[in-house]
Amino acid sequence: MVVGSNGMLGTDLCSALDSLGIPWIGVDLPEVNITDCVSILTAVERVKPDLIINTAALTDVDGCENHQRMAYRVNAQGASNVAEAARSCEAFLIHLSTDYVFDGTKTTPYLENDPVNPLGIYGRTKAEGEELVMSVIPDASLIVRTQWLYGIHGKNFVEAILKACQERDVLRVVSDQHGRPTFTKDLVEALVKLVELRPKGICHVANSGQTTWHGFASAIVKMAGLSHIRVEEMTTVELNRPAPRPLNSVLDVGRFESLTGRSLRNWQEGLKAYLKDTKRFKG
C-alpha cells in the first residue's frame, strides 16, 4: 500500500511498482485521511497489505509555521495513525522523513544516529512522527530520510527556478545552505530496493554529491540553455523566510550504500534526467 499515492513521490513510486509487476494499492485524500485514525485503519484492514510506504506529509516548510496544528496532525499524529494501522495487520512500514530534523550546525554529513534538533515546525513535527512510528512498531518499520526532493508530479525547486527565468534575467538564490538535490525517480529506485531488504531503523537516501541552492539553481539554468540568466548569491538571513532552515543538512548515505551495495547517481545526472523527461534539457 502506498499512502499519499497522488503526491509527487507517491505517483512515481506507483508507476515504478507497476513497471516491476509488484501488486500495489494507493490511498490518498479525500478517500483516506491519515489524520483520521479510523479512516486509515479501515483502509488498511480492508486491503491487509504486506508492506506500507507512507509518503504523505505536509511539506510546505513555511506553511507549517503558519499552520502548526495541521502540521502536527499530518506529520506527527498522521504518522502514528499509519503505524498503528500497519501494526493491526502486521505489515512492515517504510515511513518517509526529512533532513530538516537536524539543526544544520554539524560540519560533516549527518549520520542516522546523530541527535535530531529541528529548527522549525516542519522539522519538529517530522521528528515527532519518526519517534511515534518507531515507538509503535520498532521491529517492523524503517524511517527513510531524504532531502531537497523534486519530481515531475509536484511543485519543486527546479520548476520555481525555470518559472523565475521567464520573469527576470537576474535571480538571487541562497548560497549558504548545503544539501543533496534528490530526483524522485532515483529515490523510488532506492525505495524498491529497501522494500526487498526490509532493514529496520533509519536509513538516509539521497543523490550523490552535494551543493547549495545557488549551485543547484546555476546548474538548472545552464542545463536548460538559459545562458542570459545571471544567478547571484544571497544569504539565508537575507532571504528572511518565516521558517528557519538548517545551513548544512547533507545526509550521510553510507548505510544505504552498505545495505544495497550501490549508490544513487550524482545529483547533476539526476537533474539532467529530470530536464530530459520534461523536454527542457539543452546540454
Side-chain angles (χ1 to χ4, degrees), residues 33-52:
N33 187 342
I34 65 169
T35 67
D36 180 346
C37 59
V38 175
S39 174
I40 184 64
L41 183 63
T42 301
V44 167
E45 290 191 337
R46 182 174 62 245
V47 177
K48 291 185 168 52
D50 176 58
L51 186 141
I52 299 171

Side-chain angles (χ1 to χ4, degrees), residues 7-162:
M8 183 172 72
L9 177 60
T11 301
D12 279 344
L13 178 57
C14 293
S15 294
L17 295 174
D18 258 345
S19 65
L20 293 168
I22 298 173
W24 61 274
I25 187 166
V27 296
D28 210 326
L29 293 168
E31 291 78 20
V32 176
N33 187 342
I34 65 169
T35 67
D36 180 346
C37 59
V38 175
S39 174
I40 184 64
L41 183 63
T42 301
V44 167
E45 290 191 337
R46 182 174 62 245
V47 177
K48 291 185 168 52
D50 176 58
L51 186 141
I52 299 171
I53 302 177
N54 182 23
T55 69
L58 195 61
T59 59
D60 179 351
V61 177
D62 291 325
C64 286
E65 292 293 318
N66 299 321
H67 300 91
Q68 297 186 15
R69 183 173 297 179
M70 179 56 70
Y72 173 80
R73 287 181 62 202
V74 176
N75 295 339
Q77 191 57 52
S80 179
N81 290 342
V82 175
E84 292 283 2
R87 182 169 65 176
S88 75
C89 67
E90 299 183 345
F92 190 88
L93 173 62
I94 296 178
H95 175 73
L96 273 294
S97 193
T98 174
D99 58 316
Y100 273 56
V101 299
F102 298 115
D103 61 16
T105 59
K106 192 180 178 187
T107 57
T108 55
Y110 279 93
L111 299 165
E112 283 84 356
N113 60 359
D114 280 330
V116 300
N117 186 32
L119 299 176
I121 297 301
Y122 171 62
R124 235 175 278 167
T125 55
K126 289 297 288 182
E128 187 163 349
E130 290 184 2
E131 289 179 19
L132 289 168
V133 166
M134 289 187 285
S135 67
V136 172
I137 43 174
D139 296 321
S141 63
L142 174 68
I143 306 295
V144 174
R145 293 188 187 129
T146 192
Q147 63 182 142
W148 294 24
L149 198 62
Y150 64 94
I152 294 168
H153 303 287
K155 293 180 180 179
N156 64 72
F157 182 77
V158 182
E159 294 305 318
I161 290 297
L162 292 174

